[in-house]
């Protein structure tokens, strides 16, 4: 089945379609190797402030434009995705694809999934087609383990998926909770290193020991009985304790692939482990990192924690600290008025 056969026509296609796709934090797997019968299942949070922005427009000739300093593999990935979309839709007119910005790659924000989905959505809009998000994800090989990036693209919020289905089907969304508006997330970025990805990630996953059944049960309990109810009722303490417990258990499991720690970056670990007991924060690392996070009950409390950590000398000068809110909506499509097809831009 091709995208062309499952796409529906929408109103006249714009000459430029811009998609703003949100980043997500991966807060942990519930059962990495199916000790309770179903593998993975993920908890994730969609956040503001770290969006991937992609536009597709009609052009006289093909062009792919990426920000200065962007890795070569990003341009190559866009070209591969574009070729796949064209094959599936039979839409092969020249286009200009611009990556306007996004979070750092291989840092725990799900940038690869958001790039793929944003490109698919913008490509479809530019050609007058409405393409289903889950189908785009499957076509462009996203969502093999976690579905929170896919669900986050559509809906935002705090998300729980059920892990991949039969034959690797995209994980179903089990729960979606609006993240309390007052709560904030302190991101601690160490841009000197990358999290595991690609073949190295696959090798690391294959080498891990079986995950104990009793720990998988404990993670399910923490998520269902503390994290999700805490968010639904804006009850911060059980939410934060549940997130920290989930992160500690799953982080200890993945530690052998990360140099013996639940954190990829020792500098990130130092900040978060200093903040947690003093501010009762929900802390951890998103996916393979190196980005860490501390969730706090208000912007004021977040500012206090940052100032105190800096004053205590626990913040490495090379780290970047960013405060963001949760995002309770998904990607946004901006259909721009028609523009001349000049085809300019570096390719």
């Amino acid at each position: 089945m091709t995208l062309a056969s499952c796409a529906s026509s929408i109103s006249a296609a714009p000459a430029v379609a811009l998609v703003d796709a949100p980043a997500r934090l991966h807060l942990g797997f519930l059962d990495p190797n199916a000790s309770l019968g179903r593998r993975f299942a993920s908890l994730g949070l969609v956040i503001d402030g770290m969006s991937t922005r992609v536009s597709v427009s009609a052009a006289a000739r093909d062009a792919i434009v990426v920000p200065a300093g962007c890795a070569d593999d990003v341009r190559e990935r866009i070209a591969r995705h574009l070729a796949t979309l064209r094959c599936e839709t039979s839409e092969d007119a020249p286009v200009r694809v611009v990556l306007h910005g996004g979070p750092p790659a291989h840092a725990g924000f799900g940038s690869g999934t958001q790039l793929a989905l944003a490109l698919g959505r913008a490509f479809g809009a530019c050609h007058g087609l409405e393409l289903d998000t889950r189908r785009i994800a499957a076509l462009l090989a996203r969502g093999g383990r976690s579905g929170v990036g896919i669900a986050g693209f559509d809906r935002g919020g705090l998300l729980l998926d059920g892990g991949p289905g039969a034959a690797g089907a995209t994980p179903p969304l089990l729960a979606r909770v609006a993240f309390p508006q007052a709560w904030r997330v302190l991101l601690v970025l160490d841009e000197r290193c990358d999290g595991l990805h690609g073949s190295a990630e696959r090798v690391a996953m294959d080498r891990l020991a079986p995950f104990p059944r009793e720990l998988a049960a404990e993670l399910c309990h923490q998520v269902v009985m503390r994290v999700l109810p805490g968010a639904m009722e804006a009850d911060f303490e059980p939410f934060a304790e549940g997130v920290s417990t989930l992160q500690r258990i799953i982080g200890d499991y993945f530690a052998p692939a990360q140099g013996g720690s639940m954190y990829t970056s020792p500098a990130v670990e130092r900040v978060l482990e200093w903040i947690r007991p003093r501010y009762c924060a929900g802390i951890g690392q998103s996916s393979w990192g190196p980005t860490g996070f501390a969730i706090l009950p208000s912007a004021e409390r977040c500012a206090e924690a940052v100032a105190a950590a800096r004053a205590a000398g626990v913040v490495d000068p090379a780290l970047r600290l960013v405060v963001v809110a949760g995002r309770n909506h998904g990607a946004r499509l901006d259909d721009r008025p028609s523009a001349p097809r000049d085809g300019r831009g570096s390719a």
Side-chain angles (χ1 to χ4, degrees), residues 37-304:
R38 185 162 178 133
R39 196 175 188 196
F40 295 123
S42 299
L43 182 71
L45 173 64
V46 178
I47 58 172
D48 257 334
M50 305 294 285
S51 294
T52 296
R53 299 175 71 247
V54 176
S55 66
V56 177
S57 57
R61 62 181 178 85
D62 279 340
I64 297 175
V65 183
V66 299
C70 207
D72 290 340
D73 66 339
V74 173
R75 186 190 301 272
E76 294 167 2
R77 180 180 297 183
I78 292 173
R80 290 196 303 271
H81 290 339
L82 186 59
T84 301
L85 291 165
R86 282 174 159 163
C87 180
E88 289 295 310
T89 62
S90 299
E91 296 284 357
D92 57 3
V95 292
R96 184 173 188 258
V97 178
V98 181
L99 174 60
H100 298 273
H106 314 310
F109 293 111
S111 60
T113 293
Q114 298 312 305
L115 175 61
L117 297 179
L119 176 61
R121 180 60 48 79
F123 179 89
C126 187
H127 291 90
L129 302 172
E130 186 173 344
L131 307 181
D132 177 75
T133 302
R134 290 171 66 89
R135 179 60 184 146
I136 295 172
L139 183 68
L140 301 183
R142 309 310 304 181
R145 295 192 186 97
S146 170
V148 295
I150 298 167
F153 182 87
D154 278 341
R155 302 186 61 184
L158 180 68
L159 305 161
L160 174 65
D161 75 50
T170 302
L173 180 64
L174 303 183
R176 186 266 182 192
V177 176
F179 192 72
Q181 292 186 352
W183 295 3
R184 291 293 183 269
V185 183
L186 170 64
L187 303 175
V188 185
L189 293 86
D190 189 341
E191 295 167 327
R192 298 169 295 186
C193 55
D194 290 339
L196 283 176
H197 59 278
S199 60
E201 179 185 14
R202 290 189 290 272
V203 169
M205 293 289 291
D206 290 342
R207 289 178 176 173
L208 290 169
F211 193 71
R213 182 184 178 91
E214 61 273 17
L215 290 184
E218 176 62 19
L219 294 182
C220 291
H221 174 81
Q222 291 293 329
V223 170
V224 174
M225 301 306 293
R226 302 184 84 185
V227 175
L228 295 181
M232 291 179 72
E233 298 175 344
D235 188 357
F236 183 75
E237 184 174 338
F239 170 88
E241 290 179 354
V243 167
S244 294
T245 300
L246 168 67
Q247 279 282 315
R248 177 181 53 77
I249 293 173
I250 202 69
D252 287 347
Y253 175 68
F254 284 109
Q258 299 182 151
S261 170
M262 66 174 278
Y263 296 95
T264 295
S265 166
V268 170
E269 176 179 12
R270 187 182 183 203
V271 175
L272 296 179
E273 293 295 339
W274 188 90
I275 288 175
R276 183 191 60 78
R278 293 167 175 83
Y279 292 88
C280 299
I283 68 162
Q285 173 179 279
S286 179
S287 188
W288 293 102
T291 301
F293 63 85
I295 303 175
L296 292 118
S298 67
E300 294 76 15
R301 195 67 170 156
C302 212
E304 289 174 16

